[in-house]
Each structure stands twice: as C-alpha cells, then as structure tokens.
Amino acid sequence: MAKSPSHFFKAIHASTIEDKKLMIPQEFVRKFGYELSAVATLAVPNGCVWRVGLTKDEGSIWFQNGWHEFVEYHSICAGYFVVFQYRKNSSFQVFILDNLTYCGIQYPSKNSCTPSKHNGYEMQGEKPRMEGIEEKNEPDNMNESMPDEIDIIKLLEDMRICVCESMKFLSVKERQAAIEAAKSIEPEKPSFLVVLQTRNMMEHVVYVPATFAQKYLSGDSHVVAQDSRGGSKLATKMKSSSGECFLTGWLGFFEENHVREGDILILEMIKKKNKNILLKVSVVYT
C-alpha cells in the first residue's frame, strides 16, 4: 500500500506507440514497484477502468498487454501527455492531455465502455481471459480534474528539462509554446529552458533554474555557450543575487541571433570537464 500519493507523467512519442508498451519511470518503480502486481487498473475520468498487464524485467516495469488497446481507444497520438496518479494496489487514475492545448481530452462516452465492444487480453499462465475494459461502480464524473500540483514544470521535468519556478506565472500561450519547443528539440543531455522576458532582454542575462545550477554549476564554473548550428561561442559568467542564478553577457548572442521577448532558449550541457562547461543553445522563435 502506498504511503503517500504519487504521480508520474509520460510524454508520448511515436516510438512509444510503435512499441505498444510504456515504461514506468525508475523513480516511481524504486518507490512503489514492490507493490505492483501483474495487472494494473487505469481509471479515466469518464468512469471506465482498463485492466492493463505489467511486465517486469531486471528492475524495469512497463505497461504492455492491453496498453496498445488503451492508446487506440483514446486516440492517443505522438505529442500527447499521459498523467498517472497512483492510488494503491496497482490502481491508477489517468488523465490524457492533447498536443494542442495540453488540456484533458474529450473522453468517449461511458456507455461505450462495454467489454463486448473491446478486445481484452490473456495474461501469461492464466486461462481466464481478462477484458480490456470494465465499468467502475462509482458515479460518472466527466469533470474530474487533475491534481493541482500537475503543472508545466512537472511536464517538462518528465522530458528531463529544468525550468525556473517563474514558469508557473506564464500565460497559457507561453506555456504551450514552451512545451512545443521542448518537444521539437528533445535534448538528450541535462538541459534547461528559458522563455525570454523583458528582464532578460534588458539585463542581457539568462536565468538558470535552481535545480540545474545546484547539480551542475558553481560560482567559479567556466561556462561557454554555443549556438546549435556550431557557430559563434559566448564566454559567460555565472552570478547569483537574491537566491537567483544567472549567466551574464548575452547581448551579442541576442543581437546575432535576432531573438526577442517571448522567444525560447533551450540550453543543453553537451560537455563538462571539471569546472569547464559547454552549453549548446537552441533558439525557438515564437
């Protein structure tokens, strides 16, 4: 039984759909993997519950048998996010966010959630056939909302991209643009994302998320930024003030790359040797 509520978020990629399975993050597995059985139940806001098989191998756990049917039934596409809120006993509340508004999808009517209309699956070693969908013995609640703590910061962190807490205060349009930028770049190494604001442009600085700075930077780090095309390099200094960390000296980069307020920078640490750090900077114009 879970000691406390927990959530995890998965960005859906084309490979996820092709593989017909979905890996559960290791952080969640370390905390709750011991209590997960061979079958998970996935409850969606329209009142239906799906039974999906869990496969375990060498410390990894993923949704497999029945997952592809779940994806197809809800028309989940590349670019969608799926939010899993863990209850207990291998049971999850699931929310599906589309790739345009990043709001919950319009779920199919509960009346369509009947076992006779959907293929189930058969667990290995078990003779009884288990249906893919069953109805919850609870009132229909199409308006069930996601937990308050699910926000853009957690969604981007699931993509291994750090962002400043101030991201919470961006407009809906700016947050959508940030997620689109992250999806288009898909950095493979430690990264952080910045939506350029008036303050950045006036002070010629780039603010560094505390989580990234604490893990990879220090006051005497020698940081070099290079645009993603492999062009000019910028030697920048890290400073801190009032609890904020930032990199200085970005006027030349801003001018050369014609960036303006609202544009997005994704900075990926492609090399780190002692105190020397090389950041690849990708610009997404908005």
Side-chain angles (χ1 to χ4, degrees):
M1 180 175 179
K3 296 180 177 62
S4 61
S6 183
H7 310 86
F8 64 88
F9 316 83
K10 295 296 294 186
I12 303 300
H13 303 286
S15 59
T16 307
I17 297 174
E18 292 171 1
D19 292 343
K20 299 183 179 181
K21 64 182 181 181
L22 185 73
M23 297 294 297
I24 296 177
Q26 280 299 311
E27 182 179 359
F28 182 90
V29 171
R30 285 192 293 269
K31 189 172 183 180
F32 298 108
Y34 71 93
E35 63 185 65
L36 296 179
S37 64
V39 180
T41 58
L42 309 182
V44 291
N46 65 354
C48 294
V49 176
W50 289 68
R51 292 174 177 170
V52 176
L54 290 173
T55 301
K56 302 182 180 183
D57 184 46
E58 296 183 352
S60 296
I61 304 177
W62 58 91
F63 297 107
Q64 189 159 18
N65 293 333
W67 173 253
H68 182 63
E69 289 74 17
F70 180 87
V71 168
E72 287 197 327
Y73 180 75
H74 293 97
S75 302
I76 298 174
C77 303
Y80 278 41
F81 282 95
V82 182
V83 182
F84 295 83
Q85 180 183 21
Y86 187 55
R87 299 293 177 77
K88 59 180 180 179
N89 302 326
S90 304
S91 176
F92 297 85
Q93 178 68 47
V94 179
F95 303 92
I96 303 167
L97 312 183
D98 68 32
N99 56 359
L100 295 177
T101 65
Y102 302 103
C103 296
I105 65 168
Q106 182 66 42
Y107 295 90
S109 168
K110 182 177 179 180
N111 295 331
S112 66
C113 298
T114 55
S116 62
K117 294 182 180 179
H118 301 277
N119 293 326
Y121 64 89
E122 188 171 351
M123 295 298 295
Q124 186 174 1
E126 294 184 2
K127 293 182 179 180
R129 188 174 181 80
M130 302 185 67
E131 298 298 340
I133 304 177
E134 64 177 8
E135 287 194 28
K136 292 169 61 176
N137 294 321
E138 299 177 9
D140 192 6
N141 186 7
M142 291 293 287
N143 296 318
E144 185 168 356
S145 60
M146 293 183 295
D148 292 339
E149 60 266 35
I150 295 176
D151 54 34
I152 184 174
I153 293 179
K154 293 185 180 294
L155 292 176
L156 289 171
E157 284 178 346
D158 182 64
M159 302 170 74
R160 300 181 299 278
I161 299 174
C162 297
V163 292
C164 294
E165 287 290 326
S166 58
M167 287 285 288
K168 292 180 178 178
F169 305 106
L170 297 180
S171 68
V172 172
K173 183 178 179 180
E174 288 173 323
R175 284 180 285 172
Q176 291 173 354
I179 295 175
E180 286 294 336
K183 286 162 49 182
S184 67
I185 302 299
E186 290 190 338
E188 298 179 352
K189 297 181 178 179
S191 307
F192 63 96
L193 179 149
V194 177
V195 179
L196 294 175
Q197 305 293 302
T198 301
R199 190 177 176 188
N200 300 103
M201 307 307 296
M202 293 183 65
E203 299 176 4
H204 314 137
V205 299
V206 167
Y207 287 88
V208 183
T211 50
F212 187 93
Q214 291 168 3
K215 190 170 184 179
Y216 302 109
L217 304 178
S218 63
D220 56 350
S221 293
H222 178 63
V223 182
V224 173
Q226 182 177 33
D227 69 57
S228 58
R229 298 164 297 181
S232 60
K233 293 184 178 181
L234 164 70
T236 181
K237 294 182 179 180
M238 179 176 160
K239 294 186 178 181
S240 62
S241 176
S242 302
E244 293 183 305
C245 299
F246 51 91
L247 300 173
T248 63
W250 286 78
L251 176 60
F253 183 93
F254 291 166
E255 291 181 342
E256 182 178 336
N257 289 276
H258 308 289
V259 298
R260 61 183 182 179
E261 185 176 343
D263 289 338
I264 296 168
L265 305 182
I266 295 181
L267 299 93
E268 180 178 8
M269 188 175 69
I270 58 175
K271 188 175 182 180
K272 185 178 189 297
K273 185 176 181 181
N274 300 322
K275 299 293 184 178
N276 299 311
I277 296 170
L278 178 61
L279 298 174
K280 181 177 73 173
V281 185
S282 300
V283 180
V284 179
Y285 298 97
T286 59

